[in-house]
Amino acid sequence: MFHTILMIVLAVMSLSLFVCFIRTVIGPTMPDRIVALDAFGINLIGFIGILMIVQETLAYSEVILVISILAFIGTIALSKFIERGVVFERD
């Protein structure tokens, strides 16, 4: 029963990843694309976490950490670029 629920969750999360990817590609504005990219990263972390539960392993825990750090840094950098036009300020 638990395995069936996990498979349903994986299917729903893969649909969510697809929708976030589509929103990232065709987003009408740049802030919409940044939010969709951040949501894609969060969904990907959850998808890998569910996959770890299904496979009963901890092999992907480092992958989750790296994806979360990259998603955070990417969101901050893109938001700063939209706000000011530069990522690194040279004073």
Side-chain angles (χ1 to χ4, degrees), residues 43-62:
N43 283 328
L44 188 61
I45 291 167
F47 187 84
I48 294 172
I50 298 295
L51 199 61
M52 283 174 44
I53 294 171
V54 169
Q55 293 181 353
E56 298 177 359
T57 184
L58 293 174
Y60 304 123
S61 59
E62 292 89 7

Side-chain angles (χ1 to χ4, degrees), residues 22-43:
I22 295 299
R23 177 52 61 189
T24 302
V25 172
I26 63 169
T29 63
M30 189 58 78
D32 290 334
R33 290 180 176 158
I34 291 173
V35 170
L37 197 60
D38 191 42
F40 185 83
I42 292 170
N43 283 328

